[in-house]
Amino acid sequence: MHPAPSLILFTVLSGLGFGLIAWTGLGLGPAGIWYAWTVSVASGALVAGGLGASALHLRRPDRAWRAFSQWRSSWLSREAVLAAATSAVFGAYALTWIVTGTRLAALGLLSALLAAATVLATAMIYTQLRTVPRWHTPLTPLSFLAFAATGGLLAVLSLSGAASRPLTLLALALLATAAALKAAWWHRANATRRPSPEATTALGALGTVRQFEPPHTGRNYLQDEMIFRLARRRATAVRRLAAGLGAALPALLLALLAAVPATPGLAPAALLSHLAGLLFERWLFFAEAEHAVGAYYGHR
Amino acid sequence: MTTLPEPSGVKLGLVIDLDICVGCHACAVACKEWNTAAYGAPLSDQDPYGADPSGTWLNRIHSYEVTPEDAPQNAPPQIVHFPRSCLHCEDAPCVTVCPTGASYKRAADGIVLVNEDACMGCGLCAWACPYGAREMDAAEGVMKKCTLCVDRIYNENLPEEDREPACVRTCPANARHFGDLGDPDSDVSRMVAARGGVDLMPEQGTKPVNKYLPPRPKTRETPPPARPDAEEAPGGFLGWVDRALALLD
Ligand code: SF4
Ligand code: SF4
Ligand code: SF4
């Protein structure tokens, strides 16, 4: 699939934003008003940035409001509804916190649940597609959720500057879980294949099917959008970058932070590195995904 | 509404005979001609006369080379022409993924359509279709797909023989047939039963309405051996010519 920058930014930034909302809603971070402001601005910017990026993907963004209507059947619509609901509930939570200085645990818990549901809905947009065998696995939503939890906790550690060894160790454990889930995802993905030309044309009973003549000499939308050809040589390099920046380096920084609590700069560095790794991971998520339609154009 | 309606009794669709199709692309051209002036936005082209032309089409004709596993050495492969368009699936994933309600399946006859005034151009429905039947129009920014010529088949302003999809009406080989696949006694249903018509990618769970009639097996004879005398020295007049040429060799 075409790795559109708008979709890469959307999934990475909104995942991080909803992760931050979830942990904050669960009561993590200092209680001070200044921190309430910081968290509200940061999560608002991340979520708005992510959703804004997704709007860039639309050819008719003026009609995006219609996406709130089909939540009965469509995961994309559910994602829109849940994102709006999370923002509203967390907005109320942050506002009462800023104005009255108290954090309403019930509202916080509700925003945490809604944030998790939003991340799940985002992942399901891709997971639901049988046409892309790599995405069609429960490991996809599991890894999206684990990444959001990890990134959100790293953001809490970075913004609060608090020296909490238990939270640092929790972040380390979440990072390891996310990395393990993604490794399992990649392991499975390596073994998946798009349907063969014999299967897509139903001509397999007659013999081996080869493309003799394509239907058109120029490009078309299907090829631009769904038959992205990626050089395997680069895929390995990008995979190393994703694993190194996304998991190995932040793990090292977190271990240091656990050993020498309150070392300034370690948590933000871990967050930034993790984010950079996620951008590579998400690029591969799209670029390596093979859609069934490629088989009609002779790809195996 | 992008929840699917109860399966309709009437299931309008196409039957495409891969044994007959000669790959002339006339159906694709007729489709483009009718639909660029009919339902919804025109089917635009980008850089049509330039170096990098592209455009929106609702029907694409592939050509494949099929080689049987047990084909004798050097036997020519079978060429199969393969028109590809929307199959108006009963369990259409393109409809249920649509967040805006633009994509829908008609309850009365099962035709899958896009309400272009509601489409926000997200492209998710095209990702959900296993058959590559949906193309985003680059000029209009909305999703285009086969309408089964919904504006011809019920159109009383057209003479009766024209009330079928443009591709079916135009096919010079009579490889395309239109009818109600929900009625087991319709001509198309009988044809499917008689010829062993198939669904494309049934494992995707889309329950396509359109059916493809597979090519009939070719009668394959072992290619005749080369003439036994081809390598022998000829006699008579040709022998004299052969010996004369040998002097120049
Ligand atoms: S062929 Fe594709 S576009 Fe047509 S109904 Fe089936 S899934 Fe939808
Ligand atoms: S491109 Fe249009 S029709 Fe397709 S899913 Fe998006 S809004 Fe629906
Ligand atoms: S017009 Fe008929 S013969 Fe020509 S490509 Fe279309 S289906 Fe095949």
Side-chain angles (χ1 to χ4, degrees):
Chain A
M1 310 293 284
H2 170 63
S6 54
L7 294 183
I8 295 175
L9 282 177
F10 156 56
T11 53
V12 170
L13 293 183
S14 71
L16 179 64
F18 288 117
L20 177 57
I21 286 179
W23 287 119
T24 308
L26 290 176
L28 293 197
I33 304 274
W34 65 269
Y35 184 68
W37 272 107
T38 316
V39 161
S40 312
V41 170
S43 57
L46 286 168
V47 167
L51 296 182
S54 82
L56 290 181
H57 184 69
L58 306 179
R59 293 297 316 275
R60 303 295 287 254
D62 53 314
R63 297 169 177 171
W65 60 272
R66 292 182 186 271
F68 291 100
S69 63
Q70 302 301 312
W71 47 269
R72 279 185 220 78
S73 73
S74 160
W75 280 107
L76 181 46
S77 181
R78 284 173 201 155
E79 198 271 342
V81 172
L82 286 167
T86 313
S87 307
V89 174
F90 185 71
Y93 173 80
L95 202 64
T96 43
W97 184 7
I98 288 169
V99 174
T100 69
T102 40
R103 296 170 78 163
L104 298 174
L107 265 191
L109 183 64
L110 183 59
S111 39
L113 289 175
L114 283 170
T118 312
V119 173
L120 178 72
T122 307
M124 285 309 293
I125 298 171
Y126 308 104
T127 309
Q128 67 179 339
L129 300 174
R130 282 197 199 166
T131 48
V132 185
R134 266 176 183 256
W135 293 348
H136 194 59
T137 160
L139 287 171
T140 303
L142 285 177
S143 59
F144 270 62
L145 283 167
F147 282 135
T150 309
L153 192 52
L154 289 177
V156 170
L157 287 176
S158 308
L159 292 178
S160 66
S164 158
R165 182 169 283 149
L167 280 190
T168 309
L169 291 177
L170 177 61
L172 200 54
L174 281 173
L175 187 63
T177 312
L181 281 170
K182 189 65 201 187
W185 190 94
W186 268 332
H187 181 74
R188 176 192 171 276
N190 285 341
T192 61
R193 289 277 166 277
R194 65 155 75 86
S196 64
E198 287 78 23
T200 52
T201 59
L203 293 172
L206 291 181
T208 319
V209 177
R210 237 190 91 236
Q211 173 167 258
F212 175 66
E213 223 177 13
H216 39 95
T217 49
R219 307 171 291 113
N220 77 351
Y221 170 76
L222 300 172
Q223 292 169 312
D224 290 349
E225 187 74 9
M226 282 169 266
I227 316 182
F228 185 78
R229 304 286 280 159
L230 171 85
R232 296 278 161 200
R233 182 165 51 86
R234 293 216 188 85
T236 316
V238 179
R239 218 180 254 211
R240 286 192 184 130
L241 278 174
L245 290 174
L249 184 57
L252 194 70
L253 295 170
L254 284 176
L256 269 180
L257 188 62
V260 195
T263 315
L266 278 185
L271 172 65
L272 287 180
S273 169
H274 177 67
L275 257 189
L278 274 193
L279 291 176
F280 288 114
E281 180 271 334
R282 219 43 62 84
W283 185 84
L284 283 172
F285 179 80
F286 290 103
E288 285 192 307
E290 294 179 330
H291 191 284
V293 75
Y296 286 111
Y297 286 87
H299 299 298
R300 290 197 180 263
Chain B
M1 185 63 84
T2 58
T3 40
L4 290 166
E6 284 297 304
S8 57
V10 179
K11 300 184 207 303
L12 296 185
L14 301 177
V15 172
I16 296 171
D17 192 339
L18 296 181
D19 197 55
I20 292 182
C21 173
V22 294
C24 67
H25 292 240
C27 52
V29 175
C31 166
K32 178 107 169 170
E33 188 271 341
W34 176 264
N35 284 296
T36 210
Y39 185 98
L43 300 172
S44 72
D45 289 318
Q46 282 66 44
D47 195 19
Y49 303 104
D52 187 21
S54 64
T56 314
W57 295 70
L58 310 182
N59 183 10
R60 303 272 190 181
I61 321 300
H62 296 256
S63 297
Y64 298 109
E65 203 180 76
V66 187
T67 317
E69 312 300 344
D70 56 353
Q73 190 110 45
N74 295 333
Q78 183 171 358
I79 296 294
V80 178
H81 303 289
F82 189 97
R84 178 174 57 78
S85 59
C86 173
L87 311 169
H88 297 279
C89 305
E90 199 169 314
D91 227 331
C94 57
V95 169
T96 50
V97 300
C98 174
T100 59
S103 279
Y104 65 103
K105 185 170 177 71
R106 289 167 35 127
D109 52 18
I111 299 179
V112 173
L113 290 176
V114 175
N115 170 7
E116 295 177 11
D117 293 333
C119 171
M120 65 176 187
C122 67
L124 187 59
C125 54
W127 289 14
C129 170
Y131 312 104
R134 292 177 164 237
E135 299 189 14
M136 181 99 70
D137 189 80
E140 199 68 17
V142 297
M143 198 51 77
K144 302 293 297 185
K145 68 175 293 298
C146 160
T147 66
L148 209 62
C149 285
V150 66
D151 42 11
R152 290 174 66 95
I153 57 179
Y154 297 113
N155 191 336
E156 295 191 348
N157 297 320
L158 295 177
E160 192 153 356
E161 64 270 25
D162 283 337
R163 288 179 215 160
E164 57 181 14
C167 58
V168 175
R169 186 79 184 101
T170 217
C171 176
N174 212 20
R176 307 176 70 91
H177 307 274
F178 164 70
D180 176 9
L181 287 141
D183 170 6
D185 290 326
S186 67
D187 288 349
V188 278
S189 295
R190 285 167 195 272
M191 207 180 293
V192 170
R195 290 279 308 286
V198 293
D199 286 353
L200 297 184
M201 284 190 264
E203 69 281 4
Q204 290 274 336
T206 52
K207 299 200 203 120
V209 169
N210 286 13
K211 303 283 183 259
Y212 283 76
L213 306 183
R216 293 183 173 92
K218 282 249 190 260
T219 41
R220 283 190 182 276
E221 282 147 27
T222 17
R227 275 179 53 170
D229 57 352
E231 292 302 318
E232 282 168 22
F237 174 69
L238 281 180
W240 178 79
V241 173
D242 186 52
R243 284 192 299 279
L245 285 174
L247 294 177
L248 298 174
D249 217 354

